[in-house]
């Protein structure tokens, strides 16, 4: 069999497809998971009706998802999404449609055997990169598509998912191949089990268990080898602060104690904070009730929206501080409302409630502005957090270089999926800045839990100053919703990247023809 490896110099989808040898995996000869179709849907939830998700800049958010499904020839599917706020979701849908030609016709194995090359193919298309590059609508679309690829990869590695009807017997022949195929990710466990039923030998079983055991916490993909993780990252534009060798070194060093950390996470979960008690549009009565409930449920860290009216903020923050007591943690979030000087004076007035951080005090693009705010607020013991609208790894690099933020808020749908988030996790580690992911939106908690678990187990090995956002909205629409126990994220158990939505929910909320949108909406 001809074995071909590809560099990152692929110029077009045609090149990428031509680089496939056949419909068999070039490592082990198994059937490839050829991607034969991409569907994308505009799914919106009318959250603005009850002011869920409201803040000083987004007063009427309808939490929405650009929902992508990848179909493969074998029947296995990959589900992905990116997050939007209602109007304009159709524009991201168009961008996904524009990217579809770059993925349909390739196979999962082609992609993951050169994931860096595929990331660059999607983000560097000679015509479409003009729309970004790597920012705005086109990058949100990239996130949706790549999230679906990661989901597909994880499912191909895991056990049978609810929507997977694999033609299992076709895989049995390839299982007779020798053990050199240990690192191949070509076939799902379903086919392994089928193979066993069809009388494969003991030798094959040893080989099979080599493949399916190991760490499953990076999206439940058994990427054993730090080198393989590194091979998913595009280091272009960040090598001045993080080289491939340094990144590898971080992952190799973090191997010590990994198993204990994984066990710790499986038994105790990852610490979380809640934003759901104090959206800007909620009444004082609601704040009190939600805080009471949250405290009863074990929450100790709370985020409050601020930035519209100073006197109102002082009243609401005092109320929340009174409710949660002096020992619990409070954060405030202005969602980009202020100019730099206003941010400093406004937050200084709110210092009495002892916030741990002020989030997005000014424009998300203003790196030096964030640095000035960080410097001014440091004596008050208040840090600056940002990232939910930080559009790529280059911006994060500069925020870190400029000491412009003290908490890195990665976002699973703003950056170019797991690939680009890996780069940011590694840079944050190098700069010793804790990562506290953003999750205020539909599906973001489901996705980001994988990244933060990976960060703890495989990168930072540190929980100090770290927590992951949780919002208590819309989880019921997901096939594998997040599990929170004692205010901590419990590691997901189902294969995949947790972004499959229930088909009934998608149909009901599809815009503009779903039932939810056909009925008169009371505003
Ligand atoms: C519009 C979103 O709800 C936004 O307010 C979320 C956010 O800023 C956060 O969760 O943080
Ligand atoms: Mg925020």
């Amino acid at each position: 069999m001809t074995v071909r490896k590809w560099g990152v110099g692929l110029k077009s989808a045609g090149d990428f497809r031509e680089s496939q040898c056949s419909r068999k995996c070039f490592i082990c000869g198994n059937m490839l998971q050829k991607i034969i179709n991409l569907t994308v849907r505009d799914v919106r939830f009318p959250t603005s009706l009850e002011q869920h998700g409201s803040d000083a800049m987004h007063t009427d958010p309808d939490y929405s998802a650009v929902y992508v499904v990848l179909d493969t020839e074998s029947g296995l599917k990959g589900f992905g999404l990116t997050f939007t706020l209602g109007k304009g979701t159709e524009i991201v849908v168009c961008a996904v449609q524009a990217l579809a030609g770059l993925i349909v016709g390739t196979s999962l194995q082609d992609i993951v055997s050169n994931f860096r090359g595929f990331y660059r193919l999607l983000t560097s298309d000679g015509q479409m990169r003009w729309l970004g590059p790597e920012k705005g609508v086109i990058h949100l679309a990239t996130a949706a598509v790549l999230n679906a690829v990661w989901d597909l990869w994880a499912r191909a590695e895991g056990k049978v998912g609810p929507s997977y009807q694999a033609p299992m017997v076709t895989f049995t022949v390839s299982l007779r191949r020798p053990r050199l195929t240990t690192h191949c990710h070509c076939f799902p466990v379903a086919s392994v089990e089928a193979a066993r039923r069809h009388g494969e030998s003991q030798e094959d079983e040893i080989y099979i268990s080599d493949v399916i055991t190991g760490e499953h916490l990076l999206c439940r993909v058994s990427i054993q080898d730090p080198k393989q993780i590194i091979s998913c990252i595009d280091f272009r534009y960040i090598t001045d602060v993080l080289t491939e060798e340094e990144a590898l070194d971080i992952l190799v060093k973090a191997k010590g104690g990994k198993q204990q950390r994984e066990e710790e996470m499986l038994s105790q979960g990852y610490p979380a904070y809640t934003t759901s008690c104090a959206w800007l549009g909620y009444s004082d009565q609601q704040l009190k009730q939600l805080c009471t409930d949250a405290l009863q449920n074990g929450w100790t860290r709370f985020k409050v929206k601020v930035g519209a009216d100073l006197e109102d903020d002082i009243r609401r923050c005092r109320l929340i501080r009174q409710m949660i007591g002096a020992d619990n943690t409070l954060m405030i979030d202005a969602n980009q409302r202020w100019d730099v000087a206003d941010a400093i004076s406004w937050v200084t007035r709110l210092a009495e409630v002892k916030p741990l951080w002020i989030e997005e005090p000014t424009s998300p693009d203003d790196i030096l502005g964030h640095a000035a705010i960080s410097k001014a607020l440091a004596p008050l013991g208040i840090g600056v957090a940002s990232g939910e609208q930080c559009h790529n790894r280059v911006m994060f690099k500069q925020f870190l270089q400029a000491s412009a933020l003290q908490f890195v808020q990665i976002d699973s749908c703003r950056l170019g999926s797991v690939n680009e988030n890996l780069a940011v996790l590694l840079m944050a580690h190098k700069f010793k800045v804790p990562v506290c992911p953003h999750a205020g939106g539909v599906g973001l908690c489901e996705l980001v839990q994988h990244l933060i678990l990976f960060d703890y187990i495989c990168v930072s090995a540190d929980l100090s100053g770290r927590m992951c956002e949780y919002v208590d909205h819309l989880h019921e629409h997901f096939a594998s919703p997040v599990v929170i126990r004692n205010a901590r994220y419990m590691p997901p158990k189902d294969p995949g990247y947790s972004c499959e939505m229930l088909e009934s929910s998608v149909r009901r909320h599809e815009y503009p023809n779903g039932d939810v949108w056909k009925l008169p909406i009371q505003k």
Side-chain angles (χ1 to χ4, degrees):
M1 181 188 355
T2 318
V3 175
R4 279 213 248 161
K5 293 252 184 197
W6 315 301
V8 288
L10 300 167
K11 289 196 180 65
S12 67
D15 276 8
F16 201 83
R17 270 190 226 110
E18 267 171 37
S19 69
Q20 296 173 81
C21 314
S22 66
R23 287 173 54 224
K24 302 236 171 128
C25 169
F26 72 90
I27 302 170
C28 68
N30 288 326
M31 291 289 291
L32 295 173
Q33 297 282 5
K34 186 173 175 197
I35 296 165
I36 52 171
N37 193 33
L38 179 156
T39 47
V40 53
R41 293 155 87 181
D42 178 340
V43 185
R44 304 187 191 184
F45 299 89
T47 43
S48 62
L49 291 177
E50 292 177 88
Q51 289 285 288
H52 304 316
S54 55
D55 63 50
M57 294 299 256
H58 313 102
T59 49
D60 59 349
D62 283 333
Y63 276 6
S64 307
V66 174
Y67 184 55
V68 172
V69 182
L70 298 175
D71 290 294
T72 64
E73 219 166 29
S74 71
L76 187 66
K77 290 177 192 287
F79 303 87
L81 60 84
T82 195
F83 169 62
T84 53
L85 285 188
K87 286 178 206 147
T89 303
E90 68 273 22
I91 301 171
V92 189
V93 167
C94 287
V96 169
Q97 282 160 349
L99 293 176
L102 298 175
I103 186 165
V104 174
T106 62
S107 73
L108 176 64
Q109 289 73 24
D110 287 327
I111 293 171
V112 302
S113 63
N114 179 15
F115 215 156
R116 180 182 301 164
F118 186 71
Y119 176 90
R120 200 175 274 188
L121 179 78
L122 276 198
T123 54
S124 306
D125 176 89
Q127 297 184 356
M128 284 187 282
R129 85 181 291 282
W130 203 258
L131 304 176
E134 296 182 79
K135 54 177 162 290
V137 167
I138 195 73
H139 212 40
L140 292 172
T142 299
V145 171
L146 288 177
N147 284 340
V149 171
W150 279 91
D151 183 68
L152 179 64
W153 190 9
R155 284 166 193 267
E157 293 275 322
K159 56 182 188 290
V160 182
S163 54
Y164 178 34
Q165 305 291 324
M168 296 176 180
V169 183
T170 59
F171 290 96
T172 57
V173 175
S174 54
L175 290 177
R176 294 203 182 93
R177 298 192 68 78
R179 293 196 62 194
L180 66 90
T181 57
T182 303
H183 293 297
C184 185
H185 300 283
C186 287
F187 52 87
V189 175
S191 60
V192 173
E193 279 155 11
R196 285 197 181 123
R197 286 199 296 277
H198 283 264
E200 293 295 313
S201 72
Q202 190 61 30
E203 172 67 7
D204 288 324
E205 289 202 16
I206 297 166
Y207 152 58
I208 289 159
S209 62
D210 278 351
V211 175
I212 63 174
T213 56
E215 67 201 42
H216 279 257
L217 277 168
L218 177 55
C219 313
R220 305 197 74 76
V221 168
S222 58
I223 299 182
Q224 295 271 21
D225 180 4
K227 279 197 183 137
Q228 194 179 6
I229 295 174
I230 298 298
S231 76
C232 299
I233 301 171
D234 187 354
F235 284 86
R236 182 153 66 179
Y237 310 134
I238 59 170
T239 50
D240 50 331
V241 303
L242 185 77
T243 62
E244 221 173 305
E245 294 68 37
E246 283 176 300
L248 187 60
D249 196 44
I250 293 171
L251 292 179
V252 170
K253 282 203 180 111
K255 277 188 151 191
K258 204 151 105 182
Q259 200 183 331
Q260 286 114 286
R261 291 194 292 280
E262 183 164 351
E263 278 160 20
E264 179 195 344
M265 287 297 107
L266 286 166
S267 64
Q268 290 169 39
Y270 193 93
Y273 74 85
T274 177
T275 307
S276 294
C277 298
W279 297 113
L280 201 69
Y282 284 1
S283 67
D284 287 4
Q285 188 49 39
Q286 248 175 316
L287 299 190
K288 279 194 209 160
Q289 187 57 52
L290 290 167
C291 266
T292 307
D293 297 346
L295 287 163
Q296 266 166 15
N297 288 326
W299 290 94
T300 58
R301 304 170 177 102
F302 299 78
K303 191 162 85 185
V304 182
K305 294 289 175 178
V306 297
D309 178 280
L310 180 57
E311 295 315 316
D312 200 39
D313 285 350
I314 294 171
R315 196 194 72 256
R316 294 167 75 255
C317 288
R318 280 182 186 161
L319 178 68
I320 303 266
R321 179 49 89 194
Q322 213 181 346
M323 296 287 305
I324 68 173
D327 293 338
N328 284 330
T329 306
L330 182 71
M331 284 83 65
I332 53 177
D333 185 358
N335 289 89
Q336 314 157 23
R337 182 63 185 246
W338 306 306
D339 281 10
V340 172
D342 295 338
I344 295 168
S345 60
W346 198 300
V347 178
T348 302
R349 288 285 308 277
L350 293 175
E352 63 166 81
V353 298
K354 301 213 173 322
L356 173 68
W357 75 52
I358 171 65
E359 181 171 323
E360 290 200 303
T362 190
S363 161
D365 297 351
D366 187 354
I367 297 165
L368 297 183
H370 279 76
I373 297 167
S374 294
K375 204 165 162 200
L377 297 180
L380 301 174
I382 303 171
V384 171
S386 192
E388 67 188 66
Q389 295 213 323
C390 180
H391 40 246
N392 59 42
R393 64 193 178 286
V394 189
M395 293 287 293
F396 271 114
K397 177 187 80 171
Q398 291 197 20
F399 271 107
L400 291 165
Q401 284 175 308
S403 303
L405 41 81
Q406 289 70 54
F407 299 91
V408 164
Q409 297 183 299
I410 54 165
D411 184 297
S412 54
C413 293
R414 172 76 52 189
L415 294 177
S417 188
V418 179
N419 312 64
E420 197 171 29
N421 270 295
L422 290 172
V424 177
L425 293 177
L426 289 159
M427 285 194 290
H429 179 73
K430 183 171 174 193
F431 282 87
K432 299 191 173 50
V433 178
V435 175
C436 299
H438 169 241
V442 59
L444 299 185
C445 298
E446 273 70 19
L447 289 162
V448 87
Q449 62 180 332
H450 295 268
L451 302 175
I452 201 65
L453 286 164
F454 174 77
D455 182 56
Y456 177 56
I457 294 167
C458 300
V459 181
S460 70
D462 186 12
L463 284 181
S464 50
R466 288 156 195 272
M467 52 189 148
C468 186
E469 183 174 18
Y470 175 71
V471 298
D472 197 8
H473 310 290
L474 308 172
H475 302 292
E476 66 278 17
H477 300 293
F478 286 82
S480 304
V482 283
V483 176
I484 297 286
R485 209 169 66 202
N486 299 328
R488 295 169 88 95
Y489 278 89
M490 300 312 292
K493 294 245 159 62
D494 296 334
Y497 196 10
S498 309
C499 35
E500 180 183 0
M501 296 177 88
L502 301 175
E503 179 53 30
S504 54
S505 293
V506 174
R507 238 181 280 133
R508 225 171 111 61
H509 293 90
E510 212 166 355
Y511 188 86
N513 293 321
D515 284 351
V516 162
W517 296 105
K518 277 202 251 159
L519 302 169
I521 299 268
Q522 309 290 322
K523 281 245 182 191

